[in-house]
Amino acid sequence: MKYDVAIIGAGPGGIFSAYELTKLVPSLKVAVFEAGHSLEKRHCPIDGVKVKSCIHCKTCAIMNGFGGAGAFSDGKLTTGTKSPLIRTVLQTFVDHGAPEDILYIAKPHVGTDLLKGVVRSMRQEIIQLGGQVRFDTRLTGLMMRGESMEGITMLCGGETQEIRTDTVILAIGHSARDTMQTLFRQGVRMEQKPF
């Protein structure tokens, strides 16, 4: 398989990267690879079962998957409200079913039920524009030649696959410690992010 751009992670960063790339450059072959599940398959296996604490699933369906950890939040959109890009994000949400008032109220809020439909609609548009979205697919390594990216290796359904690409966008979330360790072992230069 060969792609112009491989996006690792389908949280907000991955979704918007794929969305913007497929809209702005329709000729690009773009794929999103997500270790978690599609939104439709994201549910806790112990929901409704009398269990005192989390059973720590290897890939937590609530914290990982399409839409990221925030897919099950209440849809408050206050992070980054000082960014000039926030208007683009909010307008995109409105275009995909969010209430129009998020464009002008001080503390924009979509709500959990609507947010799921919004991100589902965005995924459908990415696919309609020629992008691909693959679930249950985990990054296992980078294929490098010196400083040049030649591809990535992925674990999908217990099989290792090689994906050829010279451009990778890492949009991994806070739960991707295994991916960070893999990249660190490969010698990828890292810089601490300020909080």
Side-chain angles (χ1 to χ4, degrees), residues 103-150:
L103 296 172
Y104 55 82
I105 60 175
K107 294 185 178 178
H109 181 254
V110 175
T112 307
D113 294 339
L114 287 178
L115 188 61
K116 290 178 188 177
V118 168
V119 296
R120 188 178 295 121
S121 175
M122 289 179 70
R123 181 182 78 204
Q124 289 168 343
E125 186 168 355
I126 289 166
I127 293 167
Q128 287 171 351
L129 292 168
Q132 290 186 21
V133 182
R134 292 180 50 192
F135 301 105
D136 304 304
T137 306
R138 181 177 302 283
L139 177 72
T140 56
L142 304 177
M143 297 168 14
M144 305 287 295
R145 181 176 298 209
E147 295 279 319
S148 297
M149 174 69 63
E150 292 193 336

Short mmCIF file of all heavy atoms in Angstrom, two decimals, residues 103-150:
data_model
loop_
_atom_site.label_atom_id
_atom_site.label_comp_id
_atom_site.label_asym_id
_atom_site.label_seq_id
_atom_site.Cartn_x
_atom_site.Cartn_y
_atom_site.Cartn_z
N LEU A 103 -20.92 29.44 17.02
CA LEU A 103 -20.11 30.42 16.30
C LEU A 103 -20.02 31.75 17.03
O LEU A 103 -19.12 32.53 16.77
CB LEU A 103 -20.67 30.65 14.89
CG LEU A 103 -20.64 29.45 13.95
CD1 LEU A 103 -21.39 29.77 12.66
CD2 LEU A 103 -19.21 29.05 13.66
N TYR A 104 -20.95 32.01 17.94
CA TYR A 104 -20.95 33.33 18.57
C TYR A 104 -21.08 33.32 20.09
O TYR A 104 -20.85 34.35 20.73
CB TYR A 104 -22.04 34.23 17.96
CG TYR A 104 -23.43 33.65 18.00
CD1 TYR A 104 -24.22 33.74 19.14
CD2 TYR A 104 -23.96 33.01 16.89
CE1 TYR A 104 -25.49 33.20 19.18
CE2 TYR A 104 -25.24 32.48 16.91
CZ TYR A 104 -26.00 32.58 18.05
OH TYR A 104 -27.27 32.05 18.08
N ILE A 105 -21.41 32.22 20.72
CA ILE A 105 -21.51 32.25 22.18
C ILE A 105 -20.11 32.19 22.81
O ILE A 105 -19.16 31.68 22.21
CB ILE A 105 -22.42 31.13 22.74
CG1 ILE A 105 -21.92 29.74 22.35
CG2 ILE A 105 -23.85 31.33 22.27
CD1 ILE A 105 -22.72 28.61 22.99
N ALA A 106 -20.01 32.70 24.01
CA ALA A 106 -18.70 32.82 24.68
C ALA A 106 -18.09 31.46 25.00
O ALA A 106 -16.88 31.27 24.88
CB ALA A 106 -18.84 33.64 25.96
N LYS A 107 -18.90 30.52 25.43
CA LYS A 107 -18.41 29.19 25.76
C LYS A 107 -19.13 28.17 24.89
O LYS A 107 -20.13 27.59 25.29
CB LYS A 107 -18.61 28.89 27.25
CG LYS A 107 -17.74 29.80 28.12
CD LYS A 107 -17.84 29.43 29.56
CE LYS A 107 -16.92 30.35 30.35
NZ LYS A 107 -16.98 30.11 31.76
N PRO A 108 -18.60 27.94 23.67
CA PRO A 108 -19.29 27.04 22.74
C PRO A 108 -19.42 25.63 23.28
O PRO A 108 -18.52 25.13 23.94
CB PRO A 108 -18.41 27.09 21.48
CG PRO A 108 -17.15 27.75 21.86
CD PRO A 108 -17.35 28.46 23.14
N HIS A 109 -20.54 25.01 22.97
CA HIS A 109 -20.84 23.68 23.50
C HIS A 109 -21.70 22.93 22.49
O HIS A 109 -22.71 23.45 22.02
CB HIS A 109 -21.59 23.86 24.83
CG HIS A 109 -21.93 22.57 25.49
ND1 HIS A 109 -23.21 22.08 25.51
CD2 HIS A 109 -21.17 21.67 26.14
CE1 HIS A 109 -23.22 20.93 26.17
NE2 HIS A 109 -21.99 20.66 26.55
N VAL A 110 -21.28 21.72 22.13
CA VAL A 110 -22.03 20.92 21.16
C VAL A 110 -22.94 19.92 21.87
O VAL A 110 -24.10 19.75 21.51
CB VAL A 110 -21.08 20.17 20.20
CG1 VAL A 110 -21.85 19.26 19.26
CG2 VAL A 110 -20.26 21.17 19.40
N GLY A 111 -22.43 19.24 22.87
CA GLY A 111 -23.20 18.20 23.56
C GLY A 111 -22.82 16.83 23.02
O GLY A 111 -22.60 16.66 21.83
N THR A 112 -22.75 15.85 23.91
CA THR A 112 -22.27 14.51 23.57
C THR A 112 -23.05 13.88 22.42
O THR A 112 -22.46 13.36 21.48
CB THR A 112 -22.35 13.60 24.81
OG1 THR A 112 -21.68 14.23 25.88
CG2 THR A 112 -21.71 12.25 24.54
N ASP A 113 -24.37 13.91 22.49
CA ASP A 113 -25.17 13.25 21.47
C ASP A 113 -24.93 13.84 20.08
O ASP A 113 -24.79 13.12 19.11
CB ASP A 113 -26.66 13.30 21.82
CG ASP A 113 -26.97 12.50 23.08
OD1 ASP A 113 -26.16 11.61 23.42
OD2 ASP A 113 -28.00 12.76 23.71
N LEU A 114 -24.87 15.17 20.00
CA LEU A 114 -24.64 15.81 18.71
C LEU A 114 -23.19 15.64 18.24
O LEU A 114 -22.94 15.48 17.05
CB LEU A 114 -24.98 17.30 18.78
CG LEU A 114 -26.45 17.67 18.85
CD1 LEU A 114 -26.62 19.17 18.96
CD2 LEU A 114 -27.20 17.14 17.63
N LEU A 115 -22.26 15.68 19.17
CA LEU A 115 -20.84 15.58 18.81
C LEU A 115 -20.54 14.28 18.08
O LEU A 115 -19.79 14.26 17.11
CB LEU A 115 -19.96 15.71 20.06
CG LEU A 115 -18.46 15.81 19.82
CD1 LEU A 115 -18.13 17.04 18.98
CD2 LEU A 115 -17.72 15.87 21.15
N LYS A 116 -21.14 13.19 18.51
CA LYS A 116 -20.92 11.90 17.83
C LYS A 116 -21.36 11.98 16.37
O LYS A 116 -20.66 11.50 15.48
CB LYS A 116 -21.69 10.79 18.55
CG LYS A 116 -21.12 10.44 19.90
CD LYS A 116 -21.98 9.37 20.56
CE LYS A 116 -21.57 9.13 21.98
NZ LYS A 116 -22.43 8.16 22.65
N GLY A 117 -22.49 12.59 16.12
CA GLY A 117 -22.97 12.74 14.74
C GLY A 117 -22.10 13.66 13.91
O GLY A 117 -21.88 13.42 12.72
N VAL A 118 -21.57 14.69 14.55
CA VAL A 118 -20.69 15.64 13.85
C VAL A 118 -19.42 14.94 13.38
O VAL A 118 -19.04 15.03 12.21
CB VAL A 118 -20.35 16.85 14.76
CG1 VAL A 118 -19.22 17.68 14.18
CG2 VAL A 118 -21.59 17.71 15.00
N VAL A 119 -18.75 14.21 14.28
CA VAL A 119 -17.50 13.55 13.87
C VAL A 119 -17.77 12.40 12.91
O VAL A 119 -16.97 12.13 12.01
CB VAL A 119 -16.62 13.11 15.07
CG1 VAL A 119 -16.14 14.31 15.86
CG2 VAL A 119 -17.30 12.13 15.96
N ARG A 120 -18.91 11.74 13.03
CA ARG A 120 -19.29 10.68 12.08
C ARG A 120 -19.47 11.29 10.69
O ARG A 120 -19.01 10.75 9.68
CB ARG A 120 -20.57 10.00 12.54
CG ARG A 120 -20.95 8.79 11.73
CD ARG A 120 -22.21 8.10 12.26
NE ARG A 120 -21.99 7.56 13.58
CZ ARG A 120 -22.69 7.91 14.67
NH1 ARG A 120 -23.66 8.80 14.59
NH2 ARG A 120 -22.43 7.36 15.84
N SER A 121 -20.12 12.46 10.61
CA SER A 121 -20.33 13.15 9.35
C SER A 121 -19.00 13.59 8.73
O SER A 121 -18.81 13.49 7.51
CB SER A 121 -21.23 14.37 9.57
OG SER A 121 -21.36 15.12 8.39
N MET A 122 -18.07 14.03 9.56
CA MET A 122 -16.75 14.42 9.06
C MET A 122 -16.02 13.21 8.47
O MET A 122 -15.39 13.31 7.41
CB MET A 122 -15.92 15.07 10.16
CG MET A 122 -16.42 16.45 10.55
SD MET A 122 -15.45 17.21 11.86
CE MET A 122 -13.91 17.54 10.99
N ARG A 123 -16.12 12.06 9.14
CA ARG A 123 -15.49 10.85 8.62
C ARG A 123 -16.08 10.48 7.27
O ARG A 123 -15.36 10.14 6.33
CB ARG A 123 -15.67 9.69 9.60
CG ARG A 123 -14.98 8.40 9.09
CD ARG A 123 -15.19 7.23 10.02
NE ARG A 123 -16.52 6.68 9.82
CZ ARG A 123 -17.20 5.98 10.70
NH1 ARG A 123 -16.70 5.73 11.89
NH2 ARG A 123 -18.38 5.51 10.44
N GLN A 124 -17.41 10.58 7.14
CA GLN A 124 -18.06 10.26 5.87
C GLN A 124 -17.57 11.18 4.76
O GLN A 124 -17.32 10.74 3.64
CB GLN A 124 -19.58 10.34 6.02
CG GLN A 124 -20.14 9.22 6.85
CD GLN A 124 -21.59 9.44 7.25
OE1 GLN A 124 -22.12 10.55 7.17
NE2 GLN A 124 -22.24 8.38 7.69
N GLU A 125 -17.38 12.46 5.07
CA GLU A 125 -16.90 13.39 4.04
C GLU A 125 -15.45 13.09 3.66
O GLU A 125 -15.08 13.16 2.49
CB GLU A 125 -17.04 14.84 4.49
CG GLU A 125 -16.70 15.79 3.36
CD GLU A 125 -17.08 17.24 3.59
OE1 GLU A 125 -17.73 17.55 4.60
OE2 GLU A 125 -16.71 18.05 2.73
N ILE A 126 -14.61 12.76 4.64
CA ILE A 126 -13.22 12.39 4.34
C ILE A 126 -13.21 11.22 3.36
O ILE A 126 -12.47 11.23 2.36
CB ILE A 126 -12.46 12.02 5.64
CG1 ILE A 126 -12.21 13.27 6.48
CG2 ILE A 126 -11.15 11.31 5.32
CD1 ILE A 126 -11.78 12.98 7.92
N ILE A 127 -14.05 10.23 3.59
CA ILE A 127 -14.11 9.05 2.72
C ILE A 127 -14.67 9.42 1.35
O ILE A 127 -14.15 8.99 0.31
CB ILE A 127 -14.92 7.92 3.39
CG1 ILE A 127 -14.15 7.41 4.62
CG2 ILE A 127 -15.23 6.79 2.42
CD1 ILE A 127 -14.96 6.52 5.54
N GLN A 128 -15.72 10.25 1.32
CA GLN A 128 -16.29 10.70 0.05
C GLN A 128 -15.28 11.46 -0.79
O GLN A 128 -15.29 11.40 -2.02
CB GLN A 128 -17.52 11.57 0.28
CG GLN A 128 -18.73 10.80 0.75
CD GLN A 128 -19.86 11.71 1.19
OE1 GLN A 128 -19.70 12.93 1.31
NE2 GLN A 128 -21.01 11.11 1.45
N LEU A 129 -14.36 12.17 -0.12
CA LEU A 129 -13.34 12.94 -0.83
C LEU A 129 -12.13 12.10 -1.21
O LEU A 129 -11.15 12.61 -1.74
CB LEU A 129 -12.90 14.13 0.04
CG LEU A 129 -13.96 15.21 0.25
CD1 LEU A 129 -13.55 16.19 1.34
CD2 LEU A 129 -14.24 15.95 -1.06
N GLY A 130 -12.19 10.79 -0.95
CA GLY A 130 -11.13 9.90 -1.39
C GLY A 130 -10.18 9.44 -0.29
O GLY A 130 -9.28 8.65 -0.55
N GLY A 131 -10.36 9.94 0.93
CA GLY A 131 -9.51 9.51 2.03
C GLY A 131 -9.93 8.13 2.54
O GLY A 131 -11.02 7.66 2.25
N GLN A 132 -9.04 7.51 3.26
CA GLN A 132 -9.34 6.22 3.88
C GLN A 132 -9.21 6.35 5.38
O GLN A 132 -8.38 7.12 5.87
CB GLN A 132 -8.39 5.13 3.38
CG GLN A 132 -8.60 4.74 1.95
CD GLN A 132 -7.73 3.56 1.58
OE1 GLN A 132 -7.28 2.80 2.43
NE2 GLN A 132 -7.50 3.39 0.29
N VAL A 133 -10.01 5.60 6.10
CA VAL A 133 -9.92 5.54 7.56
C VAL A 133 -9.89 4.07 7.95
O VAL A 133 -10.82 3.33 7.62
CB VAL A 133 -11.12 6.26 8.24
CG1 VAL A 133 -10.97 6.22 9.75
CG2 VAL A 133 -11.24 7.70 7.75
N ARG A 134 -8.81 3.67 8.63
CA ARG A 134 -8.66 2.26 9.04
C ARG A 134 -8.58 2.18 10.56
O ARG A 134 -7.81 2.93 11.17
CB ARG A 134 -7.41 1.67 8.40
CG ARG A 134 -7.58 1.54 6.88
CD ARG A 134 -6.39 0.95 6.19
NE ARG A 134 -5.93 -0.27 6.80
CZ ARG A 134 -4.77 -0.83 6.49
NH1 ARG A 134 -3.99 -0.29 5.59
NH2 ARG A 134 -4.39 -1.94 7.08
N PHE A 135 -9.36 1.27 11.13
CA PHE A 135 -9.42 1.10 12.58
C PHE A 135 -8.67 -0.13 13.02
O PHE A 135 -8.30 -0.98 12.22
CB PHE A 135 -10.88 1.04 13.03
CG PHE A 135 -11.65 2.26 12.66
CD1 PHE A 135 -12.55 2.26 11.61
CD2 PHE A 135 -11.45 3.44 13.35
CE1 PHE A 135 -13.24 3.40 11.26
CE2 PHE A 135 -12.13 4.60 13.01
CZ PHE A 135 -13.03 4.57 11.96
N ASP A 136 -8.46 -0.22 14.33
CA ASP A 136 -7.78 -1.36 14.94
C ASP A 136 -6.44 -1.62 14.25
O ASP A 136 -6.06 -2.75 13.98
CB ASP A 136 -8.68 -2.62 14.89
CG ASP A 136 -10.02 -2.36 15.56
OD1 ASP A 136 -10.01 -1.96 16.75
OD2 ASP A 136 -11.06 -2.53 14.91
N THR A 137 -5.74 -0.54 13.94
CA THR A 137 -4.47 -0.58 13.23
C THR A 137 -3.46 0.27 14.01
O THR A 137 -3.62 1.48 14.10
CB THR A 137 -4.64 -0.05 11.79
OG1 THR A 137 -5.69 -0.77 11.15
CG2 THR A 137 -3.38 -0.19 11.00
N ARG A 138 -2.44 -0.37 14.56
CA ARG A 138 -1.49 0.28 15.46
C ARG A 138 -0.13 0.46 14.79
O ARG A 138 0.40 -0.47 14.20
CB ARG A 138 -1.34 -0.55 16.72
CG ARG A 138 -0.41 0.01 17.76
CD ARG A 138 -0.39 -0.85 19.02
NE ARG A 138 -1.70 -1.00 19.62
CZ ARG A 138 -2.31 -0.07 20.35
NH1 ARG A 138 -1.72 1.08 20.56
NH2 ARG A 138 -3.49 -0.29 20.89
N LEU A 139 0.43 1.65 14.89
CA LEU A 139 1.78 1.94 14.38
C LEU A 139 2.79 1.12 15.17
O LEU A 139 2.77 1.13 16.40
CB LEU A 139 2.10 3.42 14.53
CG LEU A 139 3.50 3.86 14.09
CD1 LEU A 139 3.64 3.80 12.58
CD2 LEU A 139 3.81 5.25 14.61
N THR A 140 3.66 0.39 14.46
CA THR A 140 4.70 -0.39 15.14
C THR A 140 6.10 0.09 14.81
O THR A 140 7.06 -0.32 15.46
CB THR A 140 4.58 -1.89 14.80
OG1 THR A 140 4.63 -2.05 13.38
CG2 THR A 140 3.29 -2.48 15.35
N GLY A 141 6.24 0.94 13.81
CA GLY A 141 7.57 1.45 13.50
C GLY A 141 7.60 2.33 12.27
O GLY A 141 6.66 2.36 11.47
N LEU A 142 8.70 3.06 12.16
CA LEU A 142 8.95 3.90 11.00
C LEU A 142 9.98 3.22 10.12
O LEU A 142 10.93 2.63 10.62
CB LEU A 142 9.49 5.27 11.43
CG LEU A 142 8.65 6.08 12.42
CD1 LEU A 142 9.36 7.37 12.78
CD2 LEU A 142 7.27 6.37 11.85
N MET A 143 9.79 3.31 8.82
CA MET A 143 10.78 2.78 7.87
C MET A 143 11.56 3.98 7.35
O MET A 143 11.03 4.78 6.57
CB MET A 143 10.08 2.02 6.75
CG MET A 143 9.33 0.82 7.27
SD MET A 143 8.15 -0.03 6.16
CE MET A 143 8.49 0.56 4.56
N MET A 144 12.79 4.10 7.84
CA MET A 144 13.60 5.28 7.51
C MET A 144 14.84 4.86 6.71
O MET A 144 15.35 3.76 6.88
CB MET A 144 14.07 5.97 8.80
CG MET A 144 12.97 6.38 9.76
SD MET A 144 12.01 7.79 9.21
CE MET A 144 13.23 9.09 9.23
N ARG A 145 15.28 5.74 5.86
CA ARG A 145 16.58 5.61 5.20
C ARG A 145 17.30 6.93 5.48
O ARG A 145 17.00 7.94 4.88
CB ARG A 145 16.43 5.41 3.71
CG ARG A 145 17.78 5.24 3.03
CD ARG A 145 17.63 4.94 1.60
NE ARG A 145 16.92 3.66 1.47
CZ ARG A 145 17.07 2.83 0.46
NH1 ARG A 145 17.89 3.13 -0.50
NH2 ARG A 145 16.39 1.71 0.41
N GLY A 146 18.20 6.87 6.47
CA GLY A 146 18.85 8.09 6.93
C GLY A 146 17.80 9.00 7.55
O GLY A 146 17.08 8.61 8.46
N GLU A 147 17.70 10.20 7.02
CA GLU A 147 16.71 11.17 7.51
C GLU A 147 15.39 11.11 6.71
O GLU A 147 14.47 11.86 6.99
CB GLU A 147 17.29 12.59 7.41
CG GLU A 147 18.50 12.82 8.31
CD GLU A 147 18.10 13.12 9.74
OE1 GLU A 147 17.13 13.87 9.96
OE2 GLU A 147 18.77 12.59 10.65
N SER A 148 15.33 10.25 5.71
CA SER A 148 14.16 10.21 4.83
C SER A 148 13.16 9.15 5.26
O SER A 148 13.52 8.01 5.54
CB SER A 148 14.60 9.90 3.39
OG SER A 148 15.43 10.92 2.90
N MET A 149 11.91 9.55 5.27
CA MET A 149 10.81 8.65 5.58
C MET A 149 10.47 7.83 4.33
O MET A 149 10.29 8.39 3.26
CB MET A 149 9.58 9.46 6.01
CG MET A 149 8.32 8.66 6.21
SD MET A 149 8.38 7.59 7.62
CE MET A 149 8.56 8.77 8.93
N GLU A 150 10.42 6.51 4.49
CA GLU A 150 10.04 5.65 3.38
C GLU A 150 8.73 4.93 3.62
O GLU A 150 8.12 4.42 2.70
CB GLU A 150 11.14 4.63 3.10
CG GLU A 150 12.39 5.28 2.55
CD GLU A 150 13.37 4.25 1.99
OE1 GLU A 150 13.32 3.07 2.40
OE2 GLU A 150 14.17 4.65 1.14
#
